[in-house]
């Protein structure tokens, strides 16, 4: 009882702390997705609000508990209590929505002997119905959501339907690494290959969604013979997830063709999302989180590795569930990892899979290349030309979350620094500020990766791009030279005076007050094939008033005449130095410093 009382006291103090002095929230439910500025965070790496849950209630060493704050691949102690405590900091830079990596209960540790790591990131789920004890409880999640909503901030959950934690193994080919076994060589109708015994009589194939057809798939040993290790037979929740019949069981994906849909993602148990029982199961799972907690959106992990028909059923069900809960602007966006300016490859998923939006990897690539100086600014022209390809056209592209870097690919500052190894810290800061200016003013929903506002750099992708905001004990993090700061990750980094934090806050305020920067149509005015000018006009969706954006990605100042709307007779500077009037009707002479940004609003 003493433990329960202490936890209830902690919950009460969290709510009191976060709600005290907070102004009444505006009707945040009425804001469309494109109005938001998102802050993306890994809860384990943000703030440790309750050290008592660091080991998730488990006993033993790090291979049992998953906790080792000195190792980059293990839990460090961040939790929901810490996130709730830092809502002032998050909201202070102008962000209006929080997206965090999955918080569902994970397998604490997995991986081959000597190469184990922990589920601190949240993507190795065993129980889809409860918060991982390393992060807190369902009650603490409710407290966090309510505290955010009280401030008018939205909460987006990161969800997974492609796979669960790695529990199932295979009887065959452990020494061979469980290579992928194809539908052609290992059909559902034979055990272990085309020469094997007949199994699953009457099954018409996984393209037939009829539940009666799937009842005839009773033997999961068509490619490999799945084996559930002793002691893990009931580890997954809901209980139906423990049956191997609901998985593909074809071995590890090689990321090409068929295996991208049917293969295990680095050993993770790949769900048979063609099966109507799996479809309904996940509608029930994630619908409950909407019903009980009133969350505002989903980021869908590994969306490209799930068959499109699954999303065609899942997305409408989630939108209907949210609407019934009084959430009319539920934001759903999928992860389709395409590291190129290839809008067609992303837009395909809005048509074939029915995803309302996808993470705009094309924007990230264009920004990294332009701001790093490795390419010109013409990639942005190509990017925006591709907006017409999305279902709903350029208007739908306004809902794409845009970003500069993330927990998988690495941090934006890392790419900039790697491309400019001789650059001074002042130049690196200017370049990184330029990238954030593009992020916060060009079309799409700006998404800030936690720590970028404190100058985090990262040494590489994945684990090396997941530093802690509270004081770190990881040597590979603490030797980094942060941009715009004399601090290191060995001390807590929640400085609202950091130049990047202040820069983001300033631009966020300009964005919120300027409808053209939120929902305005885009017209590219000028671009360069080498580092240099990018000029874009955006237009107020109600009045048509023009806002001219200009960026200089080169290390030298530049001047140029920019075509503008003939009706734009005068300008006010929202950021930088703008001429008060055009040089001639339809033409504005701009001068930009190196790595400069100008935002000019027409009268």
């Amino acid at each position: 009882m003493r433990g329960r009382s202490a936890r209830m006291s902690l919950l009460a103090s969290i709510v009191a702390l976060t709600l005290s002095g907070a102004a009444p929230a505006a009707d945040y439910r009425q804001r469309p997705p494109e109005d938001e500025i998102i802050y993306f965070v890994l809860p384990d790496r943000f703030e440790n609000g309750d050290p008592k849950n660091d080991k998730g209630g488990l006993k033993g060493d790090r291979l049992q508990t998953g906790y080792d704050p000195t190792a980059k691949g293990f839990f460090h102690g961040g939790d929901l209590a810490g996130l709730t405590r830092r809502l002032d900091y998050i909201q202070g830079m102008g962000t209006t929505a929080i997206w965090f990596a999955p918080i569902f209960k994970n397998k604490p540790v997995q991986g081959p002997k000597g190469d184990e790591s922990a589920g601190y990131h949240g993507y190795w789920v065993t129980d889809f119905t409860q918060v991982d004890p390393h992060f807190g409880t369902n009650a603490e999640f409710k407290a966090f959501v309510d505290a955010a909503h009280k401030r008018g901030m939205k909460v987006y959950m990161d969800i997974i339907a492609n796979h669960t934690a790695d529990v199932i193994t295979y009887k065959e080919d452990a020494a061979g690494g469980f290579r992928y076994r194809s539908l052609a060589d290992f059909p559902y109708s034979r055990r272990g290959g085309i020469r094997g015994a007949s199994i699953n009589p009457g099954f018409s194939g996984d393209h037939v969604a009829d539940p009666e057809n799937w009842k005839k798939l009773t033997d999961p040993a068509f490619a490999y013979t799945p084996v559930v290790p002793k002691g893990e037979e009931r580890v997954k929740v809901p209980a139906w997830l423990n049956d191997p019949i609901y998985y593909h069981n074809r071995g590890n994906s090689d990321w090409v063709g068929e295996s991208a849909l049917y293969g295990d993602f680095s050993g993770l148990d790949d769900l048979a999302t063609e099966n109507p029982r799996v479809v309904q199961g996940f509608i029930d799972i994630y619908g409950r989180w909407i019903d009980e907690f009133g969350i505002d959106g989903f980021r869908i992990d590994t969306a490209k590795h799930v068959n499109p028909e699954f999303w065609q059923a899942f997305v409408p069900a989630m939108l209907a569930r949210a609407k019934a809960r009084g959430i009319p602007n539920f934001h759903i966006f999928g992860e389709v990892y395409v590291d190129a300016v290839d809008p067609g490859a992303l837009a395909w998923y809005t048509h074939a899979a029915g995803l309302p939006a996808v993470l705009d990897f094309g924007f990230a690539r264009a920004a990294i290349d332009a701001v790093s100086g490795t390419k010109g600014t013409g990639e942005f022209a190509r990017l925006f030309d591709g907006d017409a390809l999305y279902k709903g056209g350029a208007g739908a592209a306004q809902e794409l979350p845009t970003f500069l870097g993330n927990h998988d690919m690495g941090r934006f500052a890392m790419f900039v620094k790697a491309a400019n190894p001789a650059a001074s810290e002042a130049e690196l800061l200017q370049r990184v500020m330029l990238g954030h200016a593009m992020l916060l003013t060009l079309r799409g929903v700006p998404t800030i990766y936690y720590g970028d506002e404190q100058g985090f750099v990262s040494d590489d992708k994945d684990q090396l791009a997941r530093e802690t905001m509270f004081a770190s004990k990881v040597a590979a993090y603490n030797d980094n030279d942060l941009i715009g700061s004399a601090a290191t990750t060995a001390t807590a980094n929640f400085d609202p005076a950091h130049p990047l934090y202040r820069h983001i806050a300033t631009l966020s305020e300009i964005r919120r007050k300027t409808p053209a920067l939120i929902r305005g149509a885009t017209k590219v005015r000028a671009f360069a094939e080498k580092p240099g000018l990018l000029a874009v006009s955006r237009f107020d969706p109600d009045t048509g008033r023009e806002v001219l954006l200009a960026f200089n990605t080169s290390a030298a100042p530049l001047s140029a005449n920019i075509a503008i709307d003939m009706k734009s007779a005068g300008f006010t500077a929202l950021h930088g130095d703008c001429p008060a009037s055009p040089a001639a009707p339809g033409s504005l002479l701009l001068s930009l410093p190196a790595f400069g940004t100008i935002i000019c609003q027409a009268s």
Side-chain angles (χ1 to χ4, degrees):
M1 288 298 293
R2 287 181 62 191
R4 183 176 183 274
S5 298
R7 185 165 293 282
M8 294 306 295
S9 176
L10 174 65
L11 283 172
S13 65
I14 288 171
V15 175
L17 177 66
T18 55
L19 300 188
S20 61
D27 191 0
Y28 64 93
R29 296 287 198 206
Q30 301 309 311
R31 294 198 308 260
E34 56 267 34
D35 281 25
E36 310 304 334
I37 299 172
I38 302 171
Y39 189 70
F40 170 44
V41 60
L42 274 66
D44 179 64
R45 302 301 166 91
F46 190 68
E47 176 67 297
N48 190 346
D50 181 10
K52 293 188 297 297
N53 63 28
D54 286 355
K55 295 183 178 181
L58 302 171
K59 297 183 189 262
D61 64 15
R62 71 176 195 166
L63 296 184
Q64 279 71 51
T65 68
Y67 177 69
D68 182 354
T70 69
K72 65 183 185 299
F74 284 76
F75 283 98
H76 290 176
D79 49 31
L80 288 165
L83 269 171
T84 311
R85 178 183 296 174
R86 291 289 184 178
L87 279 171
D88 276 343
Y89 169 86
I90 296 170
Q91 192 172 32
M93 76 186 85
T95 54
T96 62
I98 302 169
W99 151 34
F100 42 80
I103 57 163
F104 314 107
K105 186 176 181 180
N106 268 228
K107 191 172 185 178
V109 177
Q110 64 181 45
K113 187 174 182 179
D115 194 26
E116 301 92 346
S117 61
Y120 70 92
H121 42 66
Y123 295 103
W124 299 343
V125 183
T126 54
D127 186 343
F128 288 87
T129 69
Q130 69 165 302
V131 169
D132 191 291
H134 291 88
F135 301 143
T137 64
N138 285 21
E140 285 175 295
F141 180 63
K142 178 80 163 57
F144 170 77
V145 174
D146 290 349
H149 284 170
K150 187 73 173 179
R151 295 164 171 268
M153 301 184 76
K154 294 183 180 181
V155 177
Y156 296 161
M157 296 185 77
D158 203 319
I159 66 169
I160 310 148
N162 177 65
H163 58 262
T164 69
D166 184 10
V167 174
I168 297 171
T169 186
Y170 304 122
K171 185 176 180 180
E172 308 88 357
D173 195 39
F178 305 124
R179 291 177 63 104
Y180 181 74
R181 292 183 169 181
S182 72
L183 289 160
D185 293 331
F186 296 86
Y188 291 109
S189 58
R190 295 287 188 273
R191 179 178 288 117
I194 56 176
R195 293 183 178 85
S198 293
I199 58 173
N200 302 317
F203 181 63
S204 299
D206 61 18
H207 63 287
V208 179
D210 180 10
E212 292 303 313
N213 174 53
W214 282 88
K215 287 180 181 178
K216 297 170 184 175
L217 184 71
T218 59
D219 189 337
F222 34 81
Y224 286 98
T225 305
V227 176
V228 177
K230 188 176 180 179
E232 295 189 288
E233 297 90 348
R234 291 183 292 277
V235 72
K236 296 180 184 179
V237 181
W240 61 268
L241 287 163
N242 293 299
D243 191 338
I245 201 68
Y246 296 120
Y247 297 83
H248 283 133
N249 303 312
R250 292 188 171 276
N252 289 319
S253 175
D254 55 20
W255 318 114
V256 177
E258 175 190 301
S259 83
L261 289 177
Y262 290 88
D264 293 348
F265 193 106
S266 299
L268 299 168
D269 299 348
D270 197 69
L271 283 148
T273 46
E274 304 83 5
N275 190 323
R277 176 68 183 89
V278 176
V279 176
Q280 188 58 50
F282 275 102
I283 288 173
D284 294 341
I285 286 168
Y286 292 125
R288 173 181 166 267
W289 289 92
I290 298 173
D291 293 346
E292 295 190 11
F293 299 95
I295 57 171
D296 306 284
F298 289 146
R299 179 267 191 180
I300 300 172
D301 179 66
T302 53
K304 69 183 288 188
H305 300 294
V306 174
N307 59 305
E309 294 82 4
F310 178 92
W311 303 124
Q312 291 168 12
F314 180 85
V315 168
M318 293 300 98
L319 294 175
R321 199 78 165 248
K323 188 174 182 180
R325 179 66 164 73
I327 309 168
N329 292 300
F330 197 80
H331 195 187
I332 296 178
F333 50 99
E335 179 205 24
V336 179
Y337 200 141
V338 178
D339 188 13
V341 181
D342 188 355
L346 297 175
W348 184 88
Y349 289 86
T350 66
H351 292 275
L355 292 173
V358 293
L359 284 164
D360 196 350
F361 278 88
F363 182 97
R365 177 43 55 193
I368 289 168
D369 290 346
V371 175
S372 295
T374 58
K375 291 187 180 179
T377 57
E379 285 190 300
F380 280 104
R382 204 152 54 84
L383 179 79
F384 298 141
D385 282 346
D387 286 354
L389 299 174
Y390 291 92
K391 188 174 182 179
Q398 305 277 22
E399 294 189 20
L400 306 180
T402 51
F403 63 98
L404 300 173
N406 64 22
H407 60 318
D408 290 328
M409 64 190 293
R411 293 188 181 274
F412 179 65
M414 175 191 76
F415 292 106
V416 172
K417 187 173 183 178
N420 299 276
S424 66
E425 183 172 340
E427 178 183 327
L428 292 174
L429 177 61
Q430 286 181 299
R431 287 183 184 268
V432 173
M433 292 175 78
L434 172 60
H436 282 87
M438 291 175 163
L439 179 68
L440 286 156
T441 58
L442 295 172
R443 71 101 180 98
V445 184
T447 303
I448 310 295
Y449 183 40
Y450 86 97
D452 282 2
E453 77 280 5
Q454 294 294 327
F456 285 16
V457 178
S458 81
D459 289 325
D460 206 336
K461 58 186 177 180
D462 297 322
Q463 292 181 6
L464 286 167
R466 301 170 183 178
E467 303 94 327
T468 45
M469 294 281 283
F470 59 101
S472 174
K473 298 179 181 178
V474 178
Y477 297 160
N478 293 343
D479 64 2
N480 287 351
D481 183 15
L482 306 189
I483 292 175
S485 170
T488 72
T489 56
T491 59
N493 283 274
F494 296 98
D495 181 10
H498 191 287
L500 280 165
Y501 185 100
R502 289 188 286 107
H503 181 63
I504 291 167
T506 297
L507 290 167
S508 295
E509 184 176 11
I510 293 171
R511 182 182 181 90
R512 286 196 308 273
K513 292 180 177 179
T514 312
L517 301 183
I518 299 173
R519 295 186 291 274
T522 293
K523 184 177 181 62
V524 176
R525 296 295 192 180
F527 60 88
E529 292 303 325
K530 295 181 179 180
L533 177 66
L534 173 66
V536 172
S537 289
R538 301 194 67 190
F539 300 90
D540 189 299
D542 298 318
T543 67
R545 181 164 63 167
E546 181 177 19
V547 174
L548 181 67
L549 309 170
F551 311 95
N552 179 9
T553 66
S554 75
L558 63 80
S559 295
N561 290 310
I562 308 298
I564 56 172
D565 194 293
M566 294 290 287
K567 299 189 294 294
S568 297
F571 286 90
T572 300
L574 301 183
H575 183 82
D577 295 324
C578 297
S581 57
S587 179
L588 188 69
L589 175 62
L590 288 184
S591 296
L592 287 92
F595 313 119
T597 299
I598 294 177
I599 308 173
C600 305
Q601 182 169 263
S603 57

